[in-house]
Amino acid sequence: MNRACRSLSVVVSTLFLAGGVAVFSPVNGQDMKAAVAAIGGGVLGDGVQEPKGSPATSGQSGVPTINPDLKVPGAEGNSSVKPKSSKKSTDIGTPLEDRWRIGFPEWNRIVKGNIFNPYRQNILKGDYPIIGQHTFLVLNFESETLALTRRLPVPSDINSVRPGQSEFSGRGEQFINNQKIILSAEIFHGDTAFKPADFRLKFTPVFNINYVLTRENGLINRDVRKGTTRLDTHFALQEAFFEIRLGDTPRVFPFLRGKGSRGGHSPFFDSTSLRVGVQQFNSDFRGLIFDDFNLGARLFGNFRDNKWNFNAAFFHMLEKDTNSGLNTFDLRAQRVYIANLYRQDFIKPGYTTQVSVHYNDDQPSVKYDQNNFLVRPTQAGQVRPHSVKAGYFGWTGNGHFGRYNINHAFYQVIGRDSFNPIAGRGVRINAQLAALELSMDRDWQRFTISGFFTSGDGNTRDGTATGFDSILDNQIFAGGENSFWNSQEIRLTRAGVALTTQGSLIPSLRSSKTQGQANFVNPGIIVANLQYEALVTPKLKLLANLNYLRFHRTEVLKDLVFQRQIGSNIGMDYGVGVMYRPILSENMIIKAGVNFMNPLDGFKDIYTSNCSGLGCGQRSRLLYSVYTKLIFTF
């Protein structure tokens, strides 16, 4: 055993690299053979054969030299590091300045990669530097294909495809095909994962093509002559930013010194960085208030051994493309300010809490979307350009206590809308959001119960708007894409607004989620949710979701659609979905699901028939959506 240990130390010292120079101890071939034999007798466990050659061969006086036939694993590309000096006769070892491309002897554990294989070390994936020893390139390619069939409540007017029809409600069956091609190129300078990057430059262009087929006129374009189909394309720049590391956090902010910090240096790599340009930002755990790719500046970092994390962000919002929802190159008269602070392992390890402040400054403007519909100001009530200034104060948390998982949120919003079109006057804003999710993991299953609440407005004429609305949300809560209510936009027929928008649980009555303004005169909502997840196999996950939906207040709906009676119950929303990963990685994902909503009295009061006689009497029908999404990533 002692001989084996001594021999192993000889091998380790032989392969030791320091400062980019291979340093070798005087060792001869017999000692090397003895070491290998002592380790495993020729086989190094699990059928792995010993190297066929040695990383060094004996030269004069027993001093080893580098074997030029060593194999570098992966697809390493060409080195840009030039030798600074040549080997001298008095040197021990051979100078190798490029420390990333030092090879290994031929061995079945060392596999030569391919430039098209992202699973092996690859110069295109940031595993080898492209310039010097600290500048890396990461290229990504992603294809996302969505096919969706659904039935929504839609109107049928005098320009109907069926002119002789008397029914107010039209045929709501629709088909949507959406294809995204996403390319991403990132250059960063640093030591890969060992510490935060010194600087980073990233571009993410996206090409989108979308097709829509409906069964009624006037849905895809205000001009009914456009018919019932639409094919559209769009090119967007979803990310284009420069990031620079400002330094260790104690040096940038001396009042945030952590344990062991001296002279402005952090022993735990606590650092502060600045990112400027078009970038993604999610202001909380579930995208309840703001989650978007947009133009802005963000200061972020950590301190106290990475237990505290902070963000301070400013966004000058870009206009969105109507049909794809992606960025355009036009600025919008809206600015958003966000600051948040996270504390990890709060109270108990495994639980993170967050406090945040948001401010939305949306100035008066007039905007028609690409389909010629007015989206700013809202085409409901009295149409007049107006400003919305709203501040959000929130507390959220996410984590686990033992086997029980928890996610919670509470937001209070205050501010002023200079002229709310539904209220017909300027209003003060005072509204709330609350959400709670509890889940328990049992082996390969997860059982979840959750509740979601936003306050509604019970009096549209009192000068106070108490209906909660977000800035630009993408809420992954109460089912997400496996909820009909959360995944589809349901418009309030002939009212110029949407009852709810895609990716949001809030019945905001906005003209458009991405192009309209926040509206705080809305009915609010109460959601009770049950979810079930099962990891059936390592490749296959099953998801089931059930929601009970109820309006908090209905007075604003009565005023908007001129009805005396509208019930509070919206409906039962349920869905089933699967996620399949054929190659056990995120590089290929197949998602599919079917969602239903069974309308109850409140929803039926809004969307039921308004005539009697021959051809009339249509009742509220079961709403559904069936989707398939294919995601391929390189």
Side-chain angles (χ1 to χ4, degrees), residues 36-205:
V36 173
I39 293 171
V43 178
L44 303 184
D46 297 330
V48 179
Q49 301 296 320
E50 67 180 63
K52 293 182 180 180
S54 170
T57 59
S58 294
Q60 296 178 354
S61 304
V63 177
T65 59
I66 291 293
N67 185 338
D69 297 326
L70 298 181
K71 181 189 297 184
V72 179
E76 76 279 10
N78 296 322
S79 175
S80 65
V81 180
K82 304 300 182 183
K84 298 180 180 178
S85 61
S86 58
K87 181 181 177 180
K88 300 178 182 179
S89 60
T90 57
D91 288 341
I92 298 178
T94 300
L96 293 175
E97 278 79 8
D98 191 344
R99 65 188 181 93
W100 298 93
R101 293 176 174 86
I102 297 174
F104 295 86
E106 186 177 349
W107 196 5
N108 64 346
R109 275 189 173 179
I110 309 302
V111 179
K112 189 66 177 176
N114 185 289
I115 200 71
F116 300 106
N117 186 351
Y119 297 101
R120 301 289 183 186
Q121 289 176 300
N122 195 323
I123 191 173
L124 300 182
K125 293 298 181 180
D127 298 317
Y128 295 101
I130 59 169
I131 302 175
Q133 304 211 54
H134 301 283
T135 304
F136 298 82
L137 170 69
V138 179
L139 296 180
N140 287 312
F141 168 83
E142 181 176 330
S143 170
E144 181 179 306
T145 306
L146 171 68
L148 171 69
T149 299
R150 65 186 183 185
R151 177 193 288 157
L152 300 175
V154 299
S156 174
D157 56 20
I158 58 174
N159 297 303
S160 171
V161 173
R162 299 179 296 168
Q165 161 169 308
S166 302
E167 194 64 62
F168 175 80
S169 297
R171 297 174 295 176
E173 292 80 12
Q174 302 175 7
F175 173 75
I176 297 174
N177 183 230
N178 192 306
Q179 173 67 54
K180 291 181 184 177
I181 301 296
I182 305 169
L183 304 175
S184 176
E186 176 184 342
I187 296 176
F188 68 92
H189 183 274
D191 282 333
T192 61
F194 296 107
K195 68 174 184 179
D198 299 318
F199 67 80
R200 189 189 314 270
L201 183 66
K202 187 174 184 180
F203 293 92
T204 304

Side-chain angles (χ1 to χ4, degrees), residues 500-518:
T500 184
T501 57
Q502 185 177 12
S504 180
L505 293 166
I506 303 172
S508 60
L509 302 183
R510 287 192 187 196
S511 59
S512 166
K513 176 178 178 176
T514 56
Q515 296 181 285
Q517 292 177 288

Side-chain angles (χ1 to χ4, degrees), residues 240-345:
F241 64 79
F242 177 74
E243 175 188 314
I244 185 169
R245 181 174 178 267
L246 302 180
D248 286 3
T249 300
R251 181 179 293 275
V252 180
F253 302 107
F255 58 91
L256 297 180
R257 292 190 183 95
K259 184 178 180 181
S261 298
R262 288 185 176 86
H265 297 287
S266 170
F268 305 107
F269 283 130
D270 291 334
S271 64
T272 298
S273 299
L274 176 66
R275 180 179 293 180
V276 179
V278 182
Q279 56 191 286
Q280 182 186 24
F281 185 67
N282 183 358
S283 64
D284 60 27
F285 298 104
R286 296 295 183 90
L288 299 179
I289 305 299
F290 184 91
D291 183 6
D292 192 33
F293 293 83
N294 228 300
L295 176 64
R298 173 184 166 216
L299 181 73
F300 62 97
N302 51 41
F303 61 96
R304 300 287 175 87
D305 194 10
N306 196 35
K307 291 181 180 178
W308 294 86
N309 302 84
F310 62 88
N311 292 277
F314 161 76
F315 293 95
H316 191 162
M317 303 294 282
L318 297 169
E319 289 283 4
K320 299 290 186 178
D321 176 70
T322 303
N323 300 324
S324 68
L326 301 175
N327 291 332
T328 69
F329 295 95
D330 299 323
L331 289 173
R332 173 177 170 172
Q334 180 185 15
R335 296 171 177 83
V336 177
Y337 306 82
I338 304 172
N340 59 32
L341 179 66
Y342 294 84
R343 175 59 163 90
Q344 299 186 54
D345 295 336

Side-chain angles (χ1 to χ4, degrees), residues 578-625:
V578 295
M579 183 177 73
Y580 182 61
R581 301 181 304 156
I583 56 177
L584 278 175
S585 76
E586 304 301 312
N587 293 77
M588 184 181 297
I589 301 175
I590 302 174
K591 294 183 177 181
V594 55
N595 305 317
F596 299 94
M597 193 177 85
N598 186 23
L600 297 179
D601 60 317
F603 197 88
K604 291 179 179 179
D605 289 339
I606 299 173
Y607 292 102
T608 49
S609 173
N610 68 331
C611 70
S612 60
L614 184 64
C616 291
Q618 177 179 322
R619 310 309 300 168
S620 180
R621 304 177 67 185
L622 181 70
L623 306 179
Y624 66 83
S625 66

